[in-house]
Amino acid sequence: MKIQIKKDYFINELKKVTTVVGNNPINPILSNILLVAEQNELDIYGSNDLISIKSVIKDNIKIEKTGKCLISAKTFSGIVEKINEDEFEIEMIDATLRIKSDTYSCDLNTFNDADFYEVDFNESENKNILNFEFIKNINSKLLKIIPANKLLDNSPFRGILIDAERLEGFVEFIATDSFHLGYIKEPNNGQKYKFILNTELIKLLYSNNKDNSNYELFLKDNRVLVKNGNTYFNCSLVEGEFPNVAKILESPNQFFAKIKKNHLINAIEKAQILNESEANSIIWLNISNNTLSISGRDIDKGSSNETLNIESDVNEEFKISVNSTNLLNLIRNIDTETVVLEFTSALRPMIIKNDKPSNYVSLIMPMRN
């Protein structure tokens, strides 16, 4: 293998691949990247076992000799970034990869490329289009809902449900940890698909898309191949079944309350201060006809209470206890100045909405406290 490369273009593609590669103590071979020089292109492969990536480079390179090599991702990318010249050369000499520019030369030991993680990047006939705006909305509104609890590693809740089958002309996106939930509905072009996408892949799809272009999806067995321009991602789908939340979201609620978003956030944050652990902080919402009282208490620190004016149709008093961190996650996703709370009882899910028609809605389960 012998290639002449323009540095700036190459380093951008190299960075995409190295965002996937990490230190893998179980399988150290995955700390490397695979360079494959074909007649008309250079392919760069990386993997972390869960997600694999392929970047195809056809521009700004000159391939003098084909071949391939497996090289340390951290070492190779670190050296390439430090090269001063705009162009450099890489060449395989026996089991060594030589990196050379006008003023610099370096020989790196390579590894057995046959040991690298083999992944199928071939496009199938089952092609779907995923709008980048969908990815942006998922990234901003749904990812914080996904639980970080390692006990749920085998749960479908560690992914985002993408369902284009249930509603004609729409695709639905759902994230939940069974305690709070976020839901987005977007118009769709009529394609039918349903799967649970790993959140780590969603983060990569968001961060590696600089021109806001759409993605092509190819579903095969229990994996998804995602293509954007010259970059391919291959990832296993999350297995399992999501609960049927549509029935809850679409059921009419008996009461509503409207409140200024910034006032609500401020009151919740003050009640939360009393708790050592924000993740497990419980607060109480006392809702009556025209007021909402938010209280927090701790056996060692004390208690607090704040009363806010609201617009509502409540004709009785409700006292609802909820996880404050989960509630803040959902309220901060509201795009309007006013938050709408809908509920039926103190033990049924509470819906959280924008004050205007929106494609986003969320719910939170009360705590039995």
Side-chain angles (χ1 to χ4, degrees):
M1 179 173 67
K2 186 176 182 180
I3 309 169
Q4 293 181 9
I5 307 170
K6 294 287 187 181
K7 177 187 171 181
D8 288 344
Y9 181 81
F10 179 73
I11 201 69
N12 287 334
E13 300 306 310
L14 185 61
K15 284 179 179 178
K16 289 182 188 178
V17 177
T18 54
T19 57
V20 174
V21 179
N23 293 322
N24 192 315
I26 299 176
N27 189 357
I29 205 71
L30 296 180
S31 301
N32 303 307
I33 56 174
L34 180 66
L35 306 177
V36 180
E38 306 285 359
Q39 290 291 342
N40 300 311
E41 67 183 48
L42 174 65
D43 299 335
I44 311 175
Y45 297 85
S47 180
N48 60 18
D49 201 17
L50 172 66
I51 302 172
S52 298
I53 183 172
K54 172 186 176 182
S55 180
V56 179
I57 301 177
K58 295 184 178 181
D59 301 323
N60 299 298
I61 62 170
K62 180 181 179 182
I63 299 175
E64 298 183 10
K65 187 186 298 184
T66 61
K68 57 184 176 180
C69 76
L70 187 64
I71 192 78
S72 166
K74 183 178 180 180
T75 304
F76 180 70
S77 60
I79 288 174
V80 170
E81 287 185 15
K82 295 294 184 181
I83 292 176
N84 296 323
E85 287 80 10
D86 295 332
E87 186 173 312
F88 66 98
E89 178 182 280
I90 61 174
E91 180 181 9
M92 275 293 291
I93 302 174
D94 296 326
T96 300
L97 182 69
R98 176 165 294 171
I99 306 171
K100 185 179 179 181
S101 68
D102 290 341
T103 60
Y104 176 79
S105 179
C106 173
D107 290 340
L108 299 179
N109 295 329
T110 62
F111 302 89
N112 184 2
D113 57 75
D115 294 334
F116 192 67
Y117 199 76
E118 186 175 347
V119 176
D120 180 10
F121 286 98
N122 294 319
E123 301 173 19
S124 67
E125 296 181 357
N126 186 8
K127 176 181 174 180
N128 303 279
I129 301 297
L130 187 63
N131 194 301
F132 182 64
E133 289 300 316
F134 299 170
I135 297 294
K136 288 174 65 176
N137 283 337
I138 292 172
N139 186 75
S140 63
K141 294 184 181 296
L142 299 186
L143 286 192
K144 285 196 293 186
I145 296 174
I146 302 300
N149 191 340
K150 292 295 183 182
L151 295 176
L152 295 177
D153 279 352
N154 294 321
S155 165
F157 296 160
R158 72 188 190 278
I160 302 289
L161 175 64
I162 302 178
D163 186 353
E165 294 181 352
R166 193 182 76 90
L167 293 179
E168 187 69 31
F170 291 93
V171 56
E172 300 171 288
F173 306 92
I174 303 172
T176 185
D177 63 352
S178 77
F179 298 105
H180 66 322
L181 176 146
Y183 171 92
I184 299 173
K185 182 175 71 174
E186 297 280 5
N188 192 32
N189 57 8
Q191 293 177 310
K192 300 294 184 182
Y193 49 84
K194 182 180 179 180
F195 53 89
I196 304 173
L197 200 59
N198 192 286
T199 55
E200 294 305 314
L201 178 60
I202 292 172
K203 294 174 186 177
L204 288 170
L205 296 181
Y206 176 75
S207 62
N208 282 292
N209 194 327
K210 304 303 181 185
D211 58 1
N212 294 354
S213 54
N214 295 336
Y215 288 98
E216 298 177 22
L217 276 75
F218 304 89
L219 300 172
K220 186 177 181 180
D221 299 327
N222 65 335
R223 302 189 70 86
V224 60
L225 176 67
V226 184
K227 179 185 178 183
N228 178 247
N230 64 329
T231 307
Y232 297 79
F233 296 91
N234 187 302
C235 181
S236 58
L237 296 173
V238 178
E239 297 181 356
E241 288 291 332
F242 254 64
N244 185 6
V245 299
K247 190 174 182 179
I248 301 175
L249 293 170
E250 294 168 355
S251 298
N253 287 280
Q254 188 173 356
F255 304 107
F256 79 90
K258 294 184 179 181
I259 184 171
K260 291 292 184 182
K261 175 182 173 181
N262 60 336
H263 294 169
L264 183 56
I265 290 175
N266 184 267
I268 295 171
E269 289 177 338
K270 280 186 283 189
Q272 196 180 55
I273 290 174
L274 291 173
N275 292 75
E276 290 287 349
S277 173
E278 289 186 0
N280 297 314
S281 170
I282 296 176
I283 59 172
W284 288 261
L285 310 180
N286 197 315
I287 306 171
S288 61
N289 185 34
N290 58 2
T291 61
L292 167 64
S293 296
I294 299 177
S295 59
R297 62 176 178 264
D298 181 85
I299 192 170
D300 296 318
K301 293 184 178 181
S303 63
S304 71
N305 184 76
E306 182 169 4
T307 300
L308 305 172
N309 293 324
I310 63 173
E311 174 190 346
S312 76
D313 64 350
V314 175
N315 55 17
E316 57 185 286
E317 186 173 328
F318 288 94
K319 190 169 186 179
I320 303 173
S321 59
V322 294
N323 180 293
S324 62
T325 301
N326 292 348
L327 183 59
L328 283 173
N329 282 344
L330 303 179
I331 293 172
R332 286 174 176 145
N333 285 336
I334 297 300
D335 298 319
T336 54
E337 293 183 359
T338 301
V339 176
V340 178
L341 308 178
E342 294 183 356
F343 48 93
T344 297
S345 73
L347 296 178
R348 290 181 62 82
M350 182 168 67
I351 304 294
I352 302 163
K353 291 182 175 181
N354 288 296
D355 191 24
K356 298 177 181 178
S358 170
N359 64 350
Y360 173 76
V361 65
S362 57
L363 69 81
I364 188 167
M365 295 295 297
M367 308 292 290
R368 294 183 179 272
N369 187 290

